């Protein structure tokens, strides 16, 4: 079975090659993102394997289907980059990796909170410069701090578990409350109440039409002044110009993002020699209370092993003509 792997980096090749010793598929690694422009690379490949910033819109899917592709194997949990209706119409099967390590993302989220609260990025640079002043490094205790979790699925639950260890007061909003979270002591409230009561708000819901810009000018207006907002889920959950205004007004006191609405033009590439054209991104970078990481929350050895193994097992199910438990279907 020939598999075209798009958006591939050295680490993808390393972990997929290792997992492939059990399968012996013919893996071809392509560096470019899969879009309608690059889809021709997948000619005669029955399987394409893609990541979060590959764009499988109607145009790209039509090209793939016409060239003989039958299976789209996502190396991610999120599938907001695939036009599922079009894939179904074309008879393309879509599979994903629903869980590879919720711990990796939850732990990175907590790392961002500590970094922003205790200003570790400034402290590290200061001490290296023999500046031992504490001015400007004041933080707050996480103990007793009200923390709002939007989305308490696998990652939100891990995050709740860790924050309980800090002694935080845990609030959550999720249309489908999680009993394991309730047993941890999480209190479910309406989104408006979570926003109004939390000092830290962390987003862990998927990007869907209902959650697009869930953080917008209207919801930001209800934030407590100085609230910390963390997004390790998907960039489209936050209206970027609105959050920039809220940082300027002080309504948002800290912003930590591992994902960004326009990240497909930036993340996963070394652009250090380039003039970045995205003014919103550049403005965010200029603020002292903003921490940006480039979609690395998932990036642990454990997660990459699980992604590679599940992806190749998904392909094996498809190749054997068996129904795949990880198939993504239209709701
Ligand atoms: P999950 O499906 O286990 O949980 C998602 C939760 O969100 C569910 O409990 C669901 O009921 C809830 N939800 C649905 N609609 C909601 C709404 N309108 N408001 C609030 N909650 C809502 O998913 P997960 O594994 O916990 O992953 C969560 C998200 O994290 C993914 O969708 C993905 O976008 C993101 N993610 C990011 C990275 C990264 O590296 N930064 C890695 C993996 C996943």
């Amino acid at each position: 079975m020939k598999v075209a792997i798009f958006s591939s980096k050295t680490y993808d090749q390393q972990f997929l090659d290792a997992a492939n010793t059990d399968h012996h598929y013919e893996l071809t690694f392509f560096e470019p993102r899969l879009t309608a422009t690059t889809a021709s690379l997948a000619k005669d490949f029955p399987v394409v394997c893609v990541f979060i910033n590959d764009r499988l819109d109607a145009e790209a899917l039509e090209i793939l289907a016409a060239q003989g592709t039958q299976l789209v194997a996502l190396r991610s949990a999120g599938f907001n980059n695939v036009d599922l209706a079009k894939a179904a119409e074309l008879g393309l099967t879509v599979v994903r990796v629903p869980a590879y390590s919720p711990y990796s993302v939850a732990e990175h989220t907590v790392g961002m909170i500590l970094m922003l609260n205790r200003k570790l990025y400034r402290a590290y640079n200061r001490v290296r410069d023999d500046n031992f002043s504490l001015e400007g490094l004041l933080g707050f205790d996480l103990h007793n701090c009200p923390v709002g979790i939007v989305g308490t699925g696998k990652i939100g639950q891990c995050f709740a578990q860790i924050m309980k260890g800090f002694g935080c007061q845990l609030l959550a909003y999720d249309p489908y409350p999680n009993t394991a979270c309730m047993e941890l002591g999480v209190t479910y409230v309406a989104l408006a109440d979570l926003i109004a009561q939390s000092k830290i708000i962390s987003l862990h819901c998927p990007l869907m039409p209902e959650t697009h810009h869930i953080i917008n000018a209207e919801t930001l207006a209800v934030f407590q002044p100085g609230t910390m907002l963390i997004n390790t889920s998907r960039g489209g959950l936050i209206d970027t110009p609105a959050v920039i205004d809220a940082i300027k007004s002080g309504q948002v006191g800290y912003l930590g993002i591992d994902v960004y609405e326009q990240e497909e033009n930036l993340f996963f590439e070394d652009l250090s020699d380039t003039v970045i054209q995205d003014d919103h991104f550049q403005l965010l970078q200029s603020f002292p209370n903003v921490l940006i990481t480039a979609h690395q929350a998932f990036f642990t050895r454990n997660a990459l092993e699980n992604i590679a193994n599940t992806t190749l097992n998904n392909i094996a199910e498809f190749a054997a003509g068996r129904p795949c438990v990880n198939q993504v279907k239209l709701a």
Side-chain angles (χ1 to χ4, degrees):
M1 178 82 79
K2 286 172 70 180
V3 184
I5 297 155
F6 283 83
S7 297
S8 72
K9 301 288 180 196
T10 51
Y11 44 84
D12 294 307
Q13 181 153 2
Q14 180 193 337
F15 284 92
L16 283 164
D17 278 343
N20 198 31
T21 53
D22 295 338
H23 297 274
H24 309 293
Y25 292 128
E26 200 181 317
L27 306 182
T28 303
F29 294 89
F30 295 108
E31 278 183 41
R33 287 168 48 215
L34 176 55
T35 63
T37 315
T38 59
S40 59
L41 289 168
K43 190 170 180 328
D44 299 329
F45 282 86
V47 183
V48 295
C49 178
V50 297
F51 200 47
I52 47 183
N53 289 331
D54 292 297
R55 197 185 309 145
L56 290 104
D57 54 15
E59 195 185 350
L61 290 170
E62 266 168 13
I63 298 169
L64 291 173
Q67 291 177 162
T69 293
Q70 298 156 32
L71 178 70
V72 174
L74 291 155
R75 308 198 289 284
S76 60
F79 47 85
N80 51 288
N81 52 335
V82 184
D83 183 337
L84 289 179
K86 191 72 190 174
E89 183 191 314
L90 293 166
L92 287 166
T93 304
V94 181
V95 291
R96 67 175 182 137
V97 184
Y100 41 85
S101 168
Y103 311 103
S104 64
V105 183
E107 288 168 13
H108 188 81
T109 307
V110 177
M112 296 190 98
I113 290 172
L114 291 172
M115 182 104 166
L116 280 166
N117 176 17
R118 307 307 291 266
K119 303 178 176 66
L120 300 177
Y121 51 102
R122 297 180 95 177
Y124 173 80
N125 285 320
R126 262 190 207 184
V127 171
R128 285 178 72 86
D129 204 23
D130 294 341
N131 173 354
F132 307 117
S133 160
L134 299 184
E135 296 291 343
L137 300 184
L138 195 63
F140 59 87
D141 285 4
L142 289 176
H143 183 76
N144 261 338
C145 177
V147 175
I149 309 169
V150 181
T152 50
K154 293 177 282 297
I155 295 171
Q157 183 186 326
C158 287
F159 175 70
Q161 250 152 357
I162 301 172
M163 298 314 280
K164 183 181 161 74
F166 281 108
C168 301
Q169 296 170 32
L170 300 175
L171 300 172
Y173 168 70
D174 191 312
Y176 304 97
N178 174 338
T179 46
C181 284
M182 289 195 253
E183 280 160 19
L184 273 176
V186 172
T187 307
Y188 280 89
V189 292
L191 182 61
D193 293 331
L194 178 149
I195 289 175
Q197 291 170 29
S198 303
K199 198 164 171 185
I200 299 175
I201 296 174
S202 194
L203 306 180
H204 299 289
C205 58
L207 177 61
M208 306 178 292
E210 311 87 81
T211 58
H212 180 250
H213 288 183
I214 195 168
I215 303 297
N216 54 43
E218 216 172 285
T219 45
L220 285 161
V222 198
F223 273 41
Q224 287 185 33
T227 296
M228 182 186 291
L229 174 63
I230 306 286
N231 185 9
T232 56
S233 194
R234 282 292 180 269
L237 297 178
I238 297 181
D239 178 344
T240 308
V243 89
I244 288 172
D245 286 344
I247 293 166
K248 284 181 172 170
S249 71
Q251 198 75 353
V252 167
Y254 315 75
L255 176 70
I257 52 173
D258 184 55
V259 287
Y260 173 63
E261 210 170 359
Q262 310 299 338
E263 69 176 56
E264 64 178 30
N265 300 320
L266 300 170
F267 288 3
F268 306 124
E269 303 303 328
D270 177 0
L271 301 180
S272 52
D273 264 342
T274 319
V275 175
I276 305 279
Q277 301 294 324
D278 182 330
D279 293 348
H280 288 142
F281 187 79
Q282 294 298 69
L283 195 52
L284 284 174
Q285 291 259 58
S286 73
F287 296 138
N289 51 354
V290 172
L291 169 66
I292 305 177
T293 53
H295 212 136
Q296 70 168 91
F298 74 99
F299 199 57
T300 65
R301 186 168 297 115
N302 318 65
L304 291 191
E305 271 169 12
N306 290 337
I307 289 172
N309 285 324
T310 306
T311 298
L312 295 189
N313 287 337
N314 287 343
I315 295 171
E317 296 286 286
F318 177 79
R322 288 193 291 265
C324 178
V325 283
N326 296 328
Q327 184 169 349
V328 188
K329 291 191 181 143
L330 268 176

